[in-house]
C-alpha cells in the first residue's frame, strides 16, 4: 500500500468499540489488567464477571480463541459494546503515586492505531526478546476476533511537547474516570477535530517509536499483517496492517520502570556448590534479614540480592571479570545488570543457554518481592535474584543499537488498562476515508 508521506511511525485515529453507556458507569468491574501482571486469584475474580474484558483479552476453555470470537459476537449483537461512528484520538492520562511520593504524578498519552511494522523496518524498536508460545496464542486470538482489547505501550521522543497542549484541552471533557486495580486514577477523553488529529499524525510521522510494553502482542500483529498481505487488494487502508497502541512522550513525562526479579525452580546444584561457583564471579556478603532486601538500595551497578531458603546475600559482580562478558554484544547492552545476571548465573553457572532461558519453566519472573520471598522460604523455588530497576536512558540506548535485552527486563509502571476501549481491525469496521486527515496535514 502506498502511503501519503515518507512516514516514520504511521498512526491513524480509530473508531473504537466501547462499553454501552449504561454499563460504563461501573467500568471498574469491566476493565482488566494485562494478562501477565496479576495473580491467578485476581484473574479468577475477573472471570466471574461475564462482561469483563478479560474474556476477550485472555479467554478460557479448550478453544479459547473460538470462545473469544463467540463472546465478541454476542456482545456486539446484544449492544454490550458499540462502535463510535467517527475515528478519534483517545487521550489517556494515568494519575498515580509511588511509595514515598507526596505529589501525584501524571503520565500523559493517547491511544491510536499504528502500522504493525516488522522489526526489520526499524520504525518500531523493541528491547526484549519474546517467548514463542505466547506469540502463537496471541496470533490465534487476533485471527479469531480481529479486535484488540488492550493497547501495547510505545514511547516517542518530542522535546517540544506540542501534543500535550491538545491532550490537556481534551481532558476538560473526559469520557471516563475510574480507579483501577493498581490504585491508579485512569482518565480517558477523545479528540475528533480533524485539524488536531492531523497534527498528531504529522508529529508522529517524524518519530521512531520505542516499544515499552506488549512485545508479544505486537509480534502477533506483525505476523497477522503478513498472513493478510493479499486480503482486500483494492482497499487503500487495511485494518490488518494496524495495531492498537498507547503512545507516551519520553520527554517531560512520568515514566517509571520497576524491577522484575528472577526465581529459579528445581536447581540441581546444592546451595553450597552454587555459592562456591557464584564466588568465582561475585563478591558475596551475608545479609542479615532477607525481608530488608525489599528496601535495600543497590548503589553499585552489577549488584543483586540473593535469597536462599535459610539465608540471604548481597552479591556484586567483580568488575575485573567484565572483559569476559559477551564481547559479541553492543556496549550499551553488555553493561546491563540483567545481561550479566543471565549470562553468568543462569548461563555459565547453571548451564542454561539463551534458548533454554527463553523456553524453560524453571525460570520465572516476579515483580512482587513478597511473593519471591514466599516462594523461596516455602521451598518451592530454589532461589530468588533481586534486581534493581533499569534506567530509561539505558532502554533508549539499547533500542537504538537494535539489540535485545533478556525477556522481562523492564516493568513500565503504571500498566495500561484493558477494556477502556477496543480497537477493531476487521475490514468493514476499520474502513474509513483516512486520506482526509493527511490532506489536512498538508495544508
Amino acid at each position: 500500500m502506498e502511503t501519503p508521506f515518507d512516514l516514520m511511525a504511521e498512526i491513524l485515529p480509530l473508531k473504537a468499540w466501547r462499553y454501552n453507556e449504561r454499563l460504563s458507569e461501573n467500568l471498574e468491574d469491566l476493565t482488566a489488567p494485562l494478562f501477565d501482571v496479576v495473580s491467578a486469584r485476581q484473574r479468577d475474580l475477573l472471570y466471574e464477571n461475564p462482561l469483563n474484558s478479560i474474556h476477550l483479552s485472555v479467554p478460557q476453555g479448550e478453544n479459547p480463541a473460538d470462545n473469544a470470537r463467540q463472546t465478541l459476537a454476542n456482545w456486539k449483537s446484544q449492544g454490550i459494546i458499540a462502535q463510535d461512528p467517527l475515528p478519534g484520538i483517545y487521550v489517556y492520562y494515568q494519575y498515580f503515586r509511588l511509595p514515598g511520593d507526596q505529589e501525584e504524578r501524571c503520565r500523559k498519552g493517547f491511544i491510536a492505531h499504528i502500522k504493525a511494522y516488522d522489526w526489520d523496518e526499524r520504525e518500531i524498536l523493541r528491547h526484549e526478546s519474546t517467548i514463542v508460545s505466547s506469540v502463537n496464542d496471541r496470533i490465534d486470538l487476533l485471527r479469531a476476533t480481529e479486535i484488540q482489547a488492550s493497547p501495547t505501550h510505545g514511547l516517542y521522543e518530542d522535546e517540544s511537547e506540542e501534543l500535550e497542549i491538545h491532550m490537556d484541552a481534551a481532558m476538560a471533557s473526559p469520557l471516563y474516570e475510574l480507579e483501577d486495580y493498581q490504585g491508579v486514577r485512569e482518565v480517558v477523553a477523545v479528540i475528533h477535530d480533524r485539524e488536531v488529529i492531523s497534527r498528531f499524525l504529522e508529529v508522529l510521522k517524524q518519530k521512531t517509536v520505542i516499544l515499552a510494553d506488549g512485545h508479544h502482542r505486537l509480534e502477533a500483529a506483525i505476523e497477522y499483517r503478513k498472513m493478510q498481505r493479499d486480503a482486500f487488494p483494492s482497499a487503500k487502508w487495511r485494518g490488518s496492517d494496524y495495531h492498537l497502541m498507547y503512545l507516551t512522550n519520553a520527554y517531560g513525562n512520568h515514566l517509571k520502570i520497576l524491577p522484575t526479579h528472577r526465581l529459579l525452580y528445581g536447581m540441581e546444584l546444592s546451595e553450597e556448590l552454587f555459592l562456591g561457583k557464584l564466588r568465582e564471579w561475585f563478591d558475596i556478603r551475608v545479609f542479615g534479614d532477607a525481608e530488608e532486601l525489599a528496601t535495600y538500595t543497590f548503589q553499585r551497578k552489577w549488584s543483586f540480592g540473593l535469597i536462599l531458603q535459610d539465608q540471604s546475600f548481597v552479591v556484586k559482580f567483580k568488575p575485573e571479570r567484565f572483559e569476559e562478558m559477551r564481547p559479541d554484544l553492543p556496549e550499551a547492552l553488555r553493561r546491563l545488570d540483567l545481561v550479566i545476571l543471565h549470562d553468568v548465573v543462569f548461563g555459565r553457572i547453571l548451564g542454561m543457554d539463551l534458548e533454554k532461558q527463553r523456553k524453560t519453566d524453571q525460570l520465572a519472573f516476579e515483580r512482587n518481592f513478597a511473593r519471591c520471598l514466599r516462594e523461596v522460604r516455602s521451598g518451592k523455588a530454589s532461589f530468588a535474584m533481586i534486581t534493581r530497576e533499569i534506567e530509561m536512558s539505558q532502554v533508549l540506548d539499547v533500542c537504538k543499537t537494535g539489540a535485545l535485552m533478556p525477556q522481562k527486563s523492564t516493568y513500565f509502571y503504571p500498566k495500561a488498562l484493558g477494556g477502556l476501549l477496543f480497537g477493531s481491525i476487521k475490514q468493514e469496521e476499520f474502513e474509513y476515508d483516512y486520506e482526509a486527515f493527511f490532506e489536512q496535514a498538508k495544508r
Side-chain angles (χ1 to χ4, degrees):
M1 182 182 72
E2 295 295 320
T3 55
F5 292 98
D6 179 19
L7 295 174
M8 292 291 281
E10 179 181 313
I11 67 167
L12 292 178
L14 71 139
K15 295 185 289 181
W17 285 82
R18 298 190 287 124
Y19 279 106
N20 184 294
E21 189 173 347
R22 61 181 171 80
L23 293 173
S24 63
E25 294 177 0
N26 297 307
L27 204 55
E28 289 91 345
D29 298 329
L30 305 176
T31 52
L34 300 180
F35 71 98
D36 59 347
V37 300
V38 293
S39 67
R41 177 56 184 153
Q42 287 174 301
R43 284 196 295 270
D44 289 342
L45 291 173
L46 296 172
Y47 285 122
E48 290 177 5
N49 186 337
L51 300 184
N52 189 282
S53 63
I54 197 170
H55 294 288
L56 297 185
S57 59
V58 197
Q60 294 179 300
E62 293 185 8
N63 298 294
D66 288 339
N67 291 342
R69 174 168 46 202
Q70 187 58 54
T71 296
L72 179 61
N74 292 341
W75 286 7
K76 289 178 178 178
S77 65
Q78 296 169 18
I80 291 168
I81 60 174
Q83 188 174 28
D84 288 344
L86 295 174
I89 295 289
Y90 290 81
V91 182
Y92 181 23
Y93 283 11
Q94 294 179 290
Y95 297 87
F96 65 102
R97 286 187 174 88
L98 293 172
D101 281 353
Q102 297 299 315
E103 296 184 5
E104 188 176 57
R105 303 170 183 241
C106 178
R107 186 169 70 189
K108 299 181 178 183
F110 62 92
I111 300 174
H113 272 139
I114 186 169
K115 184 168 283 187
Y117 294 101
D118 201 339
W119 304 121
D120 293 340
E121 296 179 78
R122 302 285 294 158
E123 311 295 1
I124 299 177
L125 306 180
R126 57 177 171 170
H127 67 272
E128 289 183 355
S129 56
T130 52
I131 301 168
V132 174
S133 60
S134 297
V135 174
N136 291 336
D137 289 345
R138 298 293 101 187
I139 294 172
D140 292 343
L141 185 59
L142 193 56
R143 184 193 293 121
T145 64
E146 296 182 285
I147 205 165
Q148 293 147 344
S150 60
T152 56
H153 180 195
L155 309 174
Y156 63 95
E157 298 176 90
D158 180 27
E159 291 185 80
S160 73
E161 300 185 28
E162 173 189 349
L163 299 181
E164 278 77 351
I165 297 171
H166 302 298
M167 292 191 282
D168 288 345
M171 277 295 165
S173 302
L175 297 172
Y176 307 128
E177 183 168 351
L178 65 145
E179 185 175 302
D180 74 3
Y181 72 103
Q182 306 163 102
V184 173
R185 183 161 61 95
E186 311 261 3
V187 188
V188 178
V190 64
I191 297 173
H192 284 133
D193 184 284
R194 181 174 295 176
E195 184 174 350
V196 175
I197 291 174
S198 295
R199 285 305 304 155
F200 277 76
L201 274 57
E202 178 72 13
V203 169
L204 264 293
K205 83 179 182 70
Q206 304 168 36
K207 308 297 179 185
T208 297
V209 170
I210 294 167
L211 187 62
D213 225 340
H215 287 69
H216 295 92
R217 283 170 290 150
L218 181 51
E219 190 157 321
I222 292 168
E223 292 304 314
Y224 187 69
R225 179 188 177 194
K226 293 175 182 177
M227 292 175 185
Q228 296 291 103
R229 62 165 53 96
D230 297 324
F232 307 103
S234 62
K236 185 166 187 176
W237 308 93
R238 295 187 302 184
S240 55
D241 285 344
Y242 292 85
H243 174 74
L244 192 69
M245 184 174 282
Y246 169 43
L247 289 149
T248 60
N249 188 356
Y251 286 98
N253 216 329
H254 285 294
L255 291 167
K256 185 66 179 175
I257 307 175
L258 302 180
T260 300
H261 312 304
R262 272 58 178 156
L263 285 163
L264 194 282
Y265 293 83
M267 181 171 64
E268 296 179 1
L269 298 179
S270 67
E271 286 189 0
E272 183 180 0
L273 183 56
F274 174 63
L275 287 172
K277 290 179 175 290
L278 205 62
R279 286 190 176 94
E280 297 175 13
W281 294 90
F282 294 86
D283 294 318
I284 299 180
R285 176 169 61 85
V286 175
F287 195 81
D289 187 346
E291 294 181 358
E292 295 299 319
L293 283 172
T295 56
Y296 185 81
T297 302
F298 296 98
Q299 297 284 358
R300 199 175 99 182
K301 65 180 180 180
W302 308 335
S303 59
F304 310 89
L306 169 63
I307 301 176
L308 297 173
Q309 189 167 15
D310 297 316
Q311 51 190 338
S312 59
F313 306 87
V314 170
V315 300
K316 299 179 180 180
F317 181 71
K318 296 178 178 179
E320 62 269 21
R321 301 208 66 169
F322 176 71
E323 292 306 315
E324 301 174 59
M325 293 296 97
R326 300 291 305 275
D328 56 306
L329 295 179
E331 198 69 7
L333 184 60
R334 68 190 290 252
R335 287 188 171 275
L336 292 181
D337 289 9
L338 290 176
V339 170
I340 287 176
L341 174 65
H342 278 260
D343 184 48
V344 174
V345 176
F346 301 115
R348 299 175 192 243
I349 294 178
L350 296 177
M352 300 167 65
D353 62 24
L354 293 177
E355 189 65 16
K356 184 174 182 180
Q357 290 181 37
R358 287 185 64 200
K359 295 181 177 180
T360 183
D361 57 4
Q362 283 185 271
L363 183 58
F365 307 90
E366 179 57 63
R367 182 181 59 85
N368 188 298
F369 175 86
R371 196 170 293 130
C372 287
L373 197 58
R374 287 199 303 270
E375 287 292 286
V376 177
R377 284 184 168 173
S378 68
K380 294 179 182 178
S382 302
F383 67 81
M385 295 296 300
I386 306 304
T387 65
R388 63 177 188 151
E389 64 190 51
I390 192 171
E391 297 175 8
M392 186 66 218
S393 60
Q394 293 176 300
V395 176
L396 297 177
D397 288 344
V398 170
C399 283
K400 291 169 183 176
T401 69
L404 299 180
M405 299 179 190
Q407 64 268 38
K408 302 296 182 183
S409 291
T410 59
Y411 186 97
F412 283 85
Y413 182 86
K415 295 293 185 184
L417 194 61
L420 292 171
L421 54 86
F422 306 86
S424 176
I425 58 172
K426 191 178 182 68
Q427 189 60 30
E428 56 265 39
E429 297 173 354
F430 181 89
E431 200 76 57
Y432 191 81
D433 181 19
Y434 297 101
E435 182 72 29
F437 297 104
F438 292 99
E439 290 296 332
Q440 183 75 39
K442 291 177 182 178
R443 295 176 186 172

